[in-house]
Structure formats: structure tokens, C-alpha cells
Amino acid sequence: MNDIQNRADVELLVNDFYEKVHKDFDLAPVFVMPEEEWERHITRVVNFWENWLFQTGSYNGGMMWVHLQANQKHGLTTERFERWLALWFMTTDTLFSGPKAEFVKNKALEIGQIMNAKMNSST
Ligand code: HEM
């Protein structure tokens, strides 16, 4: 099995991930949006990961704000974070193997934990 090597691989990963998300009872409703917004979302997520993996400068930031908005609208619960991360890990492991595959799992876990703590910690 190959590691993630280029933008096309990132697109494959992100699209396969969202295929699972769309079939997930709990997560799917959060990601219902008009086709045009959806395409913009996918592009931004692919840019985000491409930038982390290959330092392309293709992502200009602001992700925490986006999730604070999403939390207000839908409620990003701890259960939803756990499910999101489980699907991300599962998708990555099905498609790729190597340091970059490990990186996208570790980075998502790190960011997910920070977001979850911001949104759902009681202290
Ligand atoms: C409960 C878990 C999560 C839910 C339900 C969720 C949901 C969302 C939603 C609704 C958006 C905005 C879509 C739009 O209107 O364009 C978004 C954007 C995004 N999410 Fe998440 N998210 C979750 C966790 C994560 C995690 C752990 C990461 C880790 C990397 C991540 C990465 C991103 C990125 C990169 C964007 C694009 C931000 C931008 O437009 O600048 N998400 N997410």
C-alpha cells in the first residue's frame, strides 16, 4: 500500500471520507448543504491537508472559527468528534500506509481534541 503522495491522493482520501460521513446517521445532517457550498467545502478541506502535507500555501486558515459556527448551528458533541475521527482513521488506513498517512491521523486527532475541549469541556 502506498503513502499519500500528491493532491490527487488527498482528494481521494477526502472524498472517500465524506462518502462514509454521508452514510453516518449522526454526522450526515451536519454536512447537508447546497451543491455549490459543498464543492467549496471539499476544495478548502483538500487545500488544508495538502498544505499540511506538502507546504503548498494553499490554505489560508480560519478553521477554528468555521467549527465554532458549525457548533452553534448543529452541536459538535464529543460523540460526533469521536465518530468523525473514527471514520477519518478508518478511511486513511483503508487507502494509505506510511509517514504521511500517520501524520494526517495524528494531526486530525490533535486538532479534534483541541476543538472538542473548546466546545464541550465544562470547566
Ligand atoms: C465533530 C466533528 C466535526 C464536524 C461535525 C465538522 C464539521 C464541519 C463543518 C460543518 C464545516 C464547514 C463546512 C462549510 O460550511 O463549508 C467544517 C469545515 C472544516 N473541517 Fe470540520 N468538522 C469536524 C471535525 C474536524 C476535524 C477534527 C478536523 C481536523 C482537521 C476538521 C477539518 C475541517 C476543515 C479543514 C474544514 C474547512 C475549514 C475552512 O473552510 O476553512 N473538521 N467541518
Side-chain angles (χ1 to χ4, degrees), residues 37-120:
E37 276 177 41
W38 181 250
E39 275 166 26
R40 202 169 46 107
H41 172 64
I42 293 288
T43 304
R44 290 185 65 83
V45 175
V46 170
N47 288 348
F48 171 85
W49 287 113
E50 186 192 34
N51 190 45
W52 269 115
L53 289 167
F54 307 111
Q55 287 78 46
T56 50
S58 47
Y59 183 68
N60 55 12
M63 76 169 308
M64 200 52 84
W65 186 83
V66 170
H67 290 88
L68 289 169
Q69 298 287 107
N71 185 39
Q72 299 237 311
K73 204 166 163 193
H74 303 281
L76 303 193
T77 58
T78 299
E79 290 69 29
R80 279 181 159 155
F81 275 108
E82 282 170 355
R83 192 73 196 127
W84 191 106
L85 287 165
L87 294 179
W88 183 251
F89 274 53
M90 214 185 289
T91 313
T92 307
D93 286 338
T94 306
L95 293 170
F96 300 105
S97 161
K100 298 223 183 280
E102 290 308 306
F103 177 86
V104 298
K105 289 188 287 178
N106 291 334
K107 187 50 72 184
L109 180 61
E110 185 189 317
I111 294 172
Q113 282 172 341
I114 293 168
M115 290 200 287
N116 189 36
K118 271 190 201 286
M119 288 164 203
N120 298 306

